[in-house]
Amino acid sequence: MAYTPATEELIRALQGLPGIGSRSAARMALHLLERDTESAQWLNNALAEALNKVHRCPSCRTLTEQVECDICQDSERDASSLCVVVNDADRAAIEMSKQFQGHYFVLHGVLSPIEGVGPEQLAIFDLIDKLKNNDVSEVIFVLDDQMESEATVFYITEQLKAIDVRCSRVTLMHLKNGNLDQAESRHLVSALTNRQEITLEQE
Amino acid sequence: MAYTPATEELIRALQGLPGIGSRSAARMALHLLERDTESAQWLNNALAEALNKVHRCPSCRTLTEQVECDICQDSERDASSLCVVVNDADRAAIEMSKQFQGHYFVLHGVLSPIEGVGPEQLAIFDLIDKLKNNDVSEVIFVLDDQMESEATVFYITEQLKAIDVRCSRVTLMHLKNGNLDQAESRHLVSALTNRQEITLEQE
Ligand SMILES: [Zn+2]
Ligand SMILES: [Zn+2]
């Protein structure tokens, strides 16, 4: 073993971060323990705090530290319009664009049978219940154009045939990681304005 | 603010990791809080444990969890030969090559006036004391060929003029991050075998 047991364990744990292989993890662990224990302590505190405080809003699954998220609590927002997104970063990106005044529903993933992600994991049945029991007249799906995203939109709209709700689809390539640059932001504005309606054939 | 305060704090703290900018940090934070709280909990525990247990060996500055490191405790090793390295990853890489049976001294950096790294930060005076008071007959500097590394070797050898000790220098380009591949390992073996003596002009 090249390093101490606790260092080796830290290297393994760092590989749980997206995009971090064993070499980067070793470099990070050594940097934290050898050169910058102050940053390490800060990261440790911030991570514990976030794990303790941040949870999903029971109503829309946005990450929040309150009982219910800011958006769900805001009576000024338009509860008749619901935007369905894949993750909290996309939700944040749309919020930053200031082009949408309705509510959200965050799936936290897309359907993926191979990875064991089914409708339950994405709380799709909660979404359907929400649409049945509330006065939502319009659902806008803002997802990228990957096959699994398309399948997810298709699955949900199939469930919505029995409900009187208008569905539309916005396809965004660059809506990843939450930080929209100016070009992406313009693209988002134009996409939200020119969204395409999905026609549901009533059964 | 796009995310909750605790999430934003976690994103800032993650930027303390080497090579992680604000976008990667945001992706990591969201991944941990949204999709993989199990990995987040693991990382939190591993980091706390490592910060608590891992410290520098008082004698050679190798990272250890014991009072004194394994190498310093091992009476089979040759205490007359001392290898000076920049960081614990390089020390680990040389250990893995099994080509060196002496002791180490880990600088944890190179001299860098701009970054406020002077001889005190690298414990160079401890190193000199160690060489004065112990039966070390040979010091091998294994550092890369960057200007700051050369300046560090020069600074230390200048201090060693008054001491009866042989100095040699091994220059390694690829001795970074601890994980030597086969080619690097062969290069290390050949470099340690063909090390160049540094002639100290006695004052
Ligand atoms: Zn909410
Ligand atoms: Zn030691």
Side-chain angles (χ1 to χ4, degrees):
Chain A
M1 194 180 288
Y3 305 109
T4 77
T7 309
E8 294 278 354
E9 177 73 1
L10 177 57
I11 293 171
R12 281 190 295 272
L14 283 164
Q15 291 176 57
L17 293 171
I20 302 303
S22 61
R23 276 193 172 225
S24 298
R27 196 173 72 238
M28 284 176 175
L30 272 288
H31 174 89
L32 291 174
L33 297 176
E34 198 170 25
R35 311 200 62 166
D36 201 356
T37 49
E38 217 168 292
S39 287
Q41 199 63 65
W42 179 25
L43 177 56
N44 203 48
N45 296 343
L47 191 51
E49 190 89 348
L51 279 168
N52 187 34
K53 284 187 175 169
V54 179
H55 60 95
R56 294 175 181 177
C57 170
S59 174
C60 74
R61 313 217 317 159
T62 286
L63 296 183
T64 182
E65 294 175 31
Q66 300 157 275
V67 177
E68 197 172 43
C69 79
D70 283 336
I71 296 168
C72 287
Q73 281 183 61
D74 185 350
S75 59
E76 305 265 288
R77 296 191 70 123
D78 176 9
S80 73
S81 186
L82 189 79
C83 179
V84 176
V85 293
V86 169
N87 56 42
D88 203 61
D90 290 355
R91 198 255 335 136
I94 297 171
E95 271 305 281
M96 282 189 286
S97 80
K98 297 191 188 352
Q99 295 302 309
F100 180 73
Q101 294 303 319
H103 283 224
Y104 294 93
F105 190 87
V106 184
L107 295 169
H108 294 291
V110 287
L111 292 175
S112 171
I114 294 166
E115 293 180 40
V117 182
E120 295 81 13
Q121 281 73 37
L122 306 183
I124 288 176
F125 304 127
D126 294 348
L127 170 62
I128 309 293
D129 283 347
K130 198 180 165 79
L131 293 172
K132 274 184 185 155
N133 301 323
N134 292 281
D135 292 332
V136 178
S137 58
E138 179 187 35
V139 180
I140 307 158
F141 295 91
V142 182
L143 287 85
D144 66 27
D145 67 343
Q146 298 296 296
M147 206 179 67
E148 291 179 333
S149 300
E150 296 294 358
T152 305
V153 173
F154 180 78
Y155 180 89
I156 299 172
T157 51
E158 282 289 303
Q159 313 291 313
L160 295 182
K161 280 184 176 171
I163 305 170
D164 181 29
V165 65
R166 196 150 30 93
C167 293
S168 55
R169 174 80 166 97
V170 171
T171 308
L172 282 185
M173 284 6 134
H174 302 294
L175 196 61
K176 283 277 144 93
N177 310 339
N179 299 307
L180 287 183
D181 64 26
Q182 279 212 326
E184 291 166 339
S185 189
R186 273 196 300 276
H187 180 56
L188 178 62
V189 170
S190 117
L192 280 168
T193 315
N194 305 309
R195 54 191 185 250
Q196 285 216 290
E197 190 152 342
I198 303 172
T199 311
L200 302 179
E201 289 165 35
Q202 301 294 323
E203 278 169 353
Chain B
M1 193 179 293
Y3 305 108
T4 77
T7 309
E8 295 277 354
E9 178 72 1
L10 177 58
I11 293 171
R12 280 190 295 273
L14 283 164
Q15 291 176 59
L17 293 171
I20 301 302
S22 60
R23 278 194 171 222
S24 298
R27 196 174 72 239
M28 285 176 176
L30 272 288
H31 174 88
L32 291 174
L33 298 176
E34 198 171 27
R35 311 200 63 169
D36 201 355
T37 49
E38 216 168 292
S39 287
Q41 198 64 64
W42 180 24
L43 177 56
N44 203 49
N45 296 343
L47 191 51
E49 190 87 347
L51 279 169
N52 188 33
K53 285 188 176 169
V54 179
H55 60 96
R56 294 175 182 177
C57 171
S59 173
C60 74
R61 313 219 314 159
T62 286
L63 296 183
T64 182
E65 294 175 30
Q66 298 156 273
V67 177
E68 197 172 41
C69 79
D70 283 335
I71 296 168
C72 287
Q73 282 183 60
D74 185 349
S75 59
E76 305 264 289
R77 297 189 70 123
D78 176 11
S80 75
S81 185
L82 189 80
C83 180
V84 176
V85 293
V86 170
N87 57 42
D88 203 61
D90 289 356
R91 198 254 335 132
I94 296 170
E95 271 305 281
M96 282 189 286
S97 81
K98 298 191 188 349
Q99 294 304 308
F100 180 71
Q101 296 303 320
H103 284 224
Y104 294 93
F105 190 88
V106 185
L107 296 170
H108 294 290
V110 286
L111 291 175
S112 172
I114 295 166
E115 294 178 39
V117 182
E120 296 81 12
Q121 281 72 38
L122 306 183
I124 288 176
F125 305 127
D126 294 348
L127 170 62
I128 309 292
D129 284 346
K130 197 181 167 78
L131 294 172
K132 274 183 185 155
N133 301 323
N134 292 283
D135 291 332
V136 178
S137 59
E138 178 186 35
V139 180
I140 307 158
F141 295 91
V142 182
L143 286 85
D144 66 26
D145 66 343
Q146 298 295 297
M147 206 179 66
E148 290 178 335
S149 301
E150 295 294 356
T152 304
V153 172
F154 181 78
Y155 180 89
I156 299 171
T157 51
E158 282 289 303
Q159 313 291 313
L160 295 183
K161 281 184 178 174
I163 305 170
D164 181 28
V165 66
R166 197 152 28 94
C167 293
S168 56
R169 173 79 165 97
V170 171
T171 309
L172 282 184
M173 286 2 138
H174 302 294
L175 197 61
K176 284 275 144 91
N177 310 339
N179 298 308
L180 286 183
D181 64 26
Q182 280 212 324
E184 291 165 339
S185 189
R186 272 197 300 276
H187 180 57
L188 178 61
V189 171
S190 117
L192 280 168
T193 314
N194 304 310
R195 54 191 186 251
Q196 285 216 290
E197 190 152 341
I198 303 172
T199 311
L200 304 178
E201 289 165 36
Q202 300 295 324
E203 278 169 351

